[in-house]
Amino acid sequence: MISCAAAIAPMAKLSFIRAEQPLAPDLAADRTVVGAGATSRRREIVFVVNPRGANGRTGKEWKKLLPYLRSRLGSDCNIFESLTSGPCHGIDITREAIREGADAVIAVGGDGTLHEVVNGFFWGGKPVSDHDQSGHTTALGLIPLGTGSDFSRTFGWKNDPRDAIERISRGIRSRIDAGVITGESGDSHYFINVADVHLSAKAGYYASRYKKFGNFCYVIGALQAFFGHHNQDLRIKVDDGDWEVYSQVTALCIGNAKYFGGGMKITPNALPSSRNFEVVVLQDFKWYDFILNLHKLYNGTHLSVENVSSRSACTIEVEEIAGSRSIFVQSDGEYLGYLPRKFSILPGAIEMIS
């Protein structure tokens, strides 16, 4: 498990580098301005780029995209790039950009980069913007250049970075919900797409080893996760109701949006502005059930399958009954450890460029 605990501590103040020069071709600077100069108020937009994403494809595609980015946004925006240098760096970059008053922070990459940027919008259990109480709001944006890019599918966005730049140029904003996950340590972890428990979380953990195979890595990860897998009885509490026992749970998915795993429409009724999660539970699945119903998982018709249930929730607490402390938890494809966990909705927590 990759720990991001260091990102919770206050950071040393960083400064944007402003320069009337083109971006260095080797993408070596940590943060470099791509355009600047007008005397009127210009939007300041920070692009958080993981150049190693998708086995290095993100960095290469970002280089190709820069001329178009300059031509569309350079006349009325100060454009800054911030290259991540390792795990959790995107969290720190985002927090500092918000503190310095950026108008928008754009995640450039896949769902992992987006996940870090989303977590950067929060600090100490509250939105970063709440700490300075200035009233300024920084928007979240996305240019999908990663392996999965599942979050953008919910909005029906094309997997085309130029389309994303057009959205950023228009600057239309809307409020979306976020999820927060808390465990026994009390630390908070945030997500905007899908959090999941047990087999699907384990599959995501294994899939991360096969990213060179593109979206097929999720199928490989799921098949590998089935080896040695045992369905488990779970105790679940929804919206502060009574504890319920769900027997032989294969996977439990908590959706703020619809897709995960490279295009599986796992929580087909979820919407990021609905103010609640869709919770989908798969029970007593064998490996052959997964294979037989794979097409239904991708097209979102699996809710009609026996042993699949769905419900809405604002909060859901999940515990294992056996006490093995071996049931995986992940959110937005990032491994978080094991149960128990509580998942809570934060209505309208983030303003997103849509």
Side-chain angles (χ1 to χ4, degrees):
M1 176 178 178
I2 297 174
S3 173
C4 295
I8 297 173
M11 296 163 44
K13 185 174 180 60
L14 302 176
S15 298
F16 292 131
I17 300 172
R18 303 176 183 272
E20 293 285 346
Q21 60 185 16
L23 190 70
D26 61 358
L27 297 176
D30 177 65
R31 180 178 285 126
T32 308
V33 67
V34 181
T39 56
S40 61
R41 173 68 171 87
R42 295 159 63 87
R43 287 189 294 161
E44 293 201 336
I45 302 180
V46 178
F47 292 83
V48 180
V49 185
N50 175 13
R52 292 161 302 283
N55 292 308
R57 182 173 61 84
T58 298
K60 294 174 183 176
E61 293 298 319
W62 171 245
K63 284 184 181 182
K64 295 176 185 177
L65 191 61
L66 278 171
Y68 183 76
L69 185 83
R70 293 188 185 102
S71 68
R72 288 298 292 122
L73 303 179
S75 61
D76 62 356
C77 300
N78 291 328
I79 303 169
F80 304 90
E81 78 163 1
S82 289
L83 304 180
T84 61
S85 58
C88 305
H89 190 198
I91 298 175
D92 288 344
I93 292 169
T94 301
R95 286 179 181 157
E96 190 61 29
I98 294 171
R99 288 170 181 153
E100 293 198 3
D103 292 278
V105 178
I106 313 298
V108 181
D111 293 316
T113 302
L114 177 62
H115 182 75
E116 286 202 6
V117 170
V118 165
N119 275 269
F121 271 74
F122 300 91
W123 180 63
K126 298 193 299 184
V128 172
S129 56
D130 284 3
H131 290 273
D132 60 23
Q133 298 182 344
S134 66
H136 175 79
T137 301
T138 301
L140 168 69
L142 172 64
I143 296 180
L145 284 178
T147 302
S149 298
D150 280 309
F151 181 71
S152 61
R153 299 174 196 266
T154 293
F155 296 93
W157 294 341
K158 297 178 182 177
N159 197 20
D160 184 341
R162 294 194 175 208
D163 279 2
I165 291 171
E166 291 304 310
R167 285 194 297 274
I168 295 164
S169 177
R170 291 191 297 269
I172 299 171
R173 300 182 177 197
S174 59
R175 284 280 174 184
I176 64 168
D177 308 330
V180 58
I181 306 171
T182 52
E184 293 174 309
S185 68
D187 293 338
S188 298
H189 198 92
Y190 301 87
F191 69 101
I192 59 170
N193 194 41
V194 178
D196 50 309
V197 174
H198 207 17
L199 178 70
S200 54
K202 192 189 303 184
Y205 176 78
Y206 287 128
S208 64
R209 305 177 181 182
Y210 303 105
K211 288 293 182 73
K212 64 182 178 181
F213 295 109
N215 283 345
F216 192 62
C217 71
Y218 299 106
V219 176
I220 300 173
L223 293 174
Q224 184 173 352
F226 258 114
F227 289 104
H229 169 79
H230 299 285
N231 297 325
Q232 296 280 356
D233 296 344
L234 299 182
R235 186 183 295 113
I236 296 172
K237 181 193 287 189
V238 173
D239 294 341
D240 297 320
D242 296 329
W243 285 100
E244 305 172 49
V245 174
Y246 277 66
S247 63
Q248 294 298 292
V249 173
T250 306
L252 184 150
C253 302
I254 299 129
N256 187 51
K258 298 179 186 295
Y259 296 88
F260 80 159
M264 291 186 188
K265 200 174 183 180
I266 189 65
T267 46
N269 299 310
L271 288 172
S273 57
S274 66
R275 307 176 73 87
N276 56 53
F277 298 125
E278 181 181 23
V279 180
V280 172
V281 184
L282 283 66
Q283 294 173 265
D284 201 25
F285 264 52
K286 309 297 189 296
W287 68 268
Y288 50 83
D289 294 314
F290 173 76
I291 296 296
L292 291 173
N293 292 291
L294 187 60
H295 65 291
K296 292 184 177 181
L297 290 167
Y298 274 98
N299 63 31
T301 60
H302 56 288
L303 299 186
S304 63
V305 174
E306 186 179 2
N307 293 341
V308 178
S309 60
S310 171
R311 65 194 299 180
S312 295
C314 293
T315 65
I316 178 169
E317 297 177 62
V318 186
E319 300 178 351
E320 62 172 310
I321 294 176
S324 66
R325 302 189 67 83
S326 62
I327 297 181
F328 282 55
V329 178
Q330 71 168 7
S331 65
D332 298 348
E334 300 299 312
Y335 168 64
L336 301 182
Y338 307 101
L339 290 180
R341 287 291 193 276
K342 181 177 181 179
F343 306 81
S344 305
I345 198 79
L346 301 175
I350 293 178
E351 200 167 51
M352 185 160 193
I353 296 174
S354 56

